[in-house]
Amino acid sequence: MHIKRIRYSEYHKLITSPSEAAKLINKNDILGVSGFTKAGDSKSVLPEIAKRALSEELSLTVLSGASLGYNTDADLAKNGALHKRLPFQADPTLRKAINNHEVLYVDQHLSYTAEMLQNISEYRIDVAIIEAVSITEDGYIVPTTSVGNSASFAQNANKIIIEVNTSMPLDFQGMHDVKLQKKQPHREVINITEVDDRIGEPYIKIAPDKVIAVVYTNVPDCPAVIAAPDDKTSAISKHILTFLEKEVEAGRLTNSLLPLQAGIGKIANAVLSGFTKSNFDNLTMYSEVLQDSTFELFDSGKLSFASASSITVTEGCLKNMVQHFDKYKDKLILRPQNISNAGEVIRRLGVIAINTAIEFDMYGNVNSTHITGTKMMNGIGGSGDFARNAYLSIFVCPSISKENKISHIVPMVSHTDHTEHDVDILVTEQGLADIRGLAPRERAEVIIENCVHPFYKKQLLDYFKEASAAGGQTPHILEKAFSWHTNLIENGTMKFPELVNQ
């Protein structure tokens, strides 16, 4: 096992148990941990650190690529191990601790964390904990199912702990393309002009003398749970496919479109799954996360290549991928997230970005992160990296939810993550609004007509007419702009009582 997985003999004497490795973490350490949306994260050492917090006082700052799998974030939060967390999370227990002011949370564009490490000395990583499928003859780390921020953490860290995951096949070697960027203003051009371009190495270079422990783990990634497409998500997918077909007919796109990006979750997965039954072919992806739909597209022959920072799939999809990895290996690249999410590359390639909103308003501003403007859900993730730089920036969400009590199209978003300037297309199951080149009042008319559920359409039209009568480039009635949200808080619905039967 040592020879196959750990080919650098000096590390053999550092092999220890996860519990012993966890003891190497100090009370106020800043940890940089591998993992991007449940993929390639620490499955042994971090859980042991959470156990330590039951009997010891810890106040850790934990940085990752994105969310961690299993109950790791939950256990760290409920056991009191966390002082601060960044740049993304998706765990209900941690979310509650954040909104209750028990844990500080820094919500970042996922491309920015590596920049911060280079530019803010207060975030020097004390210990990096990185999952590996193997270790090279030079002591370098071959990642598993994500690269994320691992290379940046390893470069920035004072010490490194490596988790060698024996559940991951050695065939994963060669799938990665790791390139570290120089500190600004001495940065090089990111020389990616096609999604399958390689610019780095298939491993993470580290200084071997930084490694303080090596542990084995045999736990697969926490499987993604993705709901099957339903009527709403299928309708959203159909609207997008119809729109793209019209763009091809107009000569603005070819039948291979441009590289696709889609956020995580059931809506994004359903949208991409819809491409398997489309007339498009020879598609490519330049994204952050590869979900089940990516492998559906490979299997259908529609997708020729995919570049991302992680692979986050269901248990069945993971088993199929591992069993038939030779079929996919030459069609995949995993990169650091400040490369997968680099604005320079996204704009050069002309990515078509499809991301999910919590709500959007009648002028096209999008809220991706906060419920009623105050309570954090997950975080902005990489949606801002792609929205600002995409050839087409598409945001999707259902028009209503919670038995019609919530409209996801409102007069003014309660929190703004993406301004109207970074949004091209808005889609609900009701329809699609193409707001490119439209002035604010034109956008409002198109959004209300195409995206709002009939249950709320008159209510939003009434607001728009009243606001427009007062004048202004982007008409609003400030004392009523958030009335839908306050009505929801006070009465449990966004529907005004006088309009319930209309």
Side-chain angles (χ1 to χ4, degrees), residues 200-484:
E201 305 289 349
Y203 44 71
I204 299 171
K205 287 185 176 181
I206 63 172
D209 60 359
K210 286 185 177 183
V211 177
I212 57 172
V214 177
V215 305
Y216 281 111
T217 186
N218 190 38
V219 181
D221 284 341
C222 179
V225 179
I226 301 175
D230 56 24
D231 290 343
K232 286 185 178 181
T233 57
S234 296
I236 290 170
S237 178
K238 185 177 180 180
H239 293 316
I240 292 175
L241 292 172
T242 300
F243 165 76
L244 292 173
E245 287 169 356
K246 291 179 180 179
E247 291 294 287
V248 173
E249 291 174 7
R252 288 187 284 267
L253 292 170
T254 70
N255 214 43
S256 297
L257 302 178
L258 287 165
L260 301 172
Q261 176 265 335
I264 197 78
K266 72 174 186 179
I267 296 179
N269 197 67
V271 169
L272 287 181
S273 292
F275 281 94
T276 61
K277 300 178 180 65
S278 73
N279 295 320
F280 304 113
D281 57 23
N282 198 29
L283 298 169
T284 59
M285 292 184 68
Y286 192 85
S287 192
E288 310 167 287
V289 182
L290 305 182
Q291 300 185 82
D292 286 34
S293 52
T294 302
F295 295 92
E296 290 178 37
L297 286 167
F298 277 138
D299 293 341
S300 71
K302 295 288 186 180
L303 185 66
S304 61
F305 202 90
S307 168
S309 194
S310 79
I311 299 172
T312 302
V313 292
T314 60
E315 185 176 7
C317 186
L318 179 62
K319 288 180 179 177
N320 175 71
M321 183 189 74
V322 170
Q323 186 176 354
H324 302 287
F325 194 66
D326 57 331
K327 182 171 71 172
Y328 304 116
K329 186 171 182 177
D330 63 351
K331 299 177 181 179
L332 295 171
I333 288 179
L334 295 186
R335 311 181 191 273
Q337 65 196 68
N338 58 329
I339 300 292
S340 69
N341 291 37
E344 170 193 342
V345 181
I346 295 165
R347 186 161 293 197
R348 180 184 298 128
L349 296 180
V351 171
I352 297 172
I354 306 168
N355 287 289
T356 305
I358 287 176
E359 64 181 3
F360 57 85
D361 67 28
M362 63 184 190
Y363 295 120
N365 301 290
V366 173
N367 171 15
S368 294
T369 58
H370 286 72
I371 303 298
T372 58
T374 61
K375 294 183 178 180
M376 172 60 64
M377 274 297 291
N378 297 334
I380 194 169
S383 56
D385 297 323
F386 284 90
R388 173 61 60 91
N389 297 289
Y391 170 80
L392 281 173
S393 174
I394 303 172
F395 280 92
V396 301
C397 70
S399 64
I400 54 172
S401 64
K402 304 296 183 183
E403 300 176 332
N404 297 356
K405 294 175 182 176
I406 295 175
S407 172
H408 293 270
I409 303 90
V410 293
M412 181 183 285
V413 287
S414 56
H415 177 91
T416 305
D417 291 295
H418 314 281
T419 72
E420 60 194 88
H421 312 290
D422 298 332
V423 181
D424 297 314
I425 310 293
L426 293 163
V427 194
T428 70
E429 82 285 353
Q430 296 298 314
L432 180 147
D434 182 351
I435 59 175
R436 293 174 294 177
L438 301 183
R441 284 175 290 131
E442 292 176 308
R443 290 198 297 270
E445 292 174 355
V446 171
I447 291 169
I448 293 170
E449 175 61 29
N450 291 285
C451 296
V452 179
H453 192 278
F455 192 65
Y456 284 95
K457 186 170 286 189
K458 183 181 186 304
Q459 185 168 311
L460 192 52
L461 273 172
D462 288 348
Y463 175 86
F464 177 55
K465 290 176 182 177
E466 185 178 357
S468 295
Q473 161 72 1
T474 307
H476 270 302
I477 305 166
L478 294 184
E479 63 271 24
K480 295 183 179 181
F482 295 121
S483 58
W484 293 34

Side-chain angles (χ1 to χ4, degrees), residues 56-72:
E56 299 178 45
E57 184 180 348
L58 296 177
S59 184
L60 303 172
T61 295
V62 175
L63 294 78
S64 62
S67 56
L68 304 177
Y70 295 103
N71 296 318
T72 304

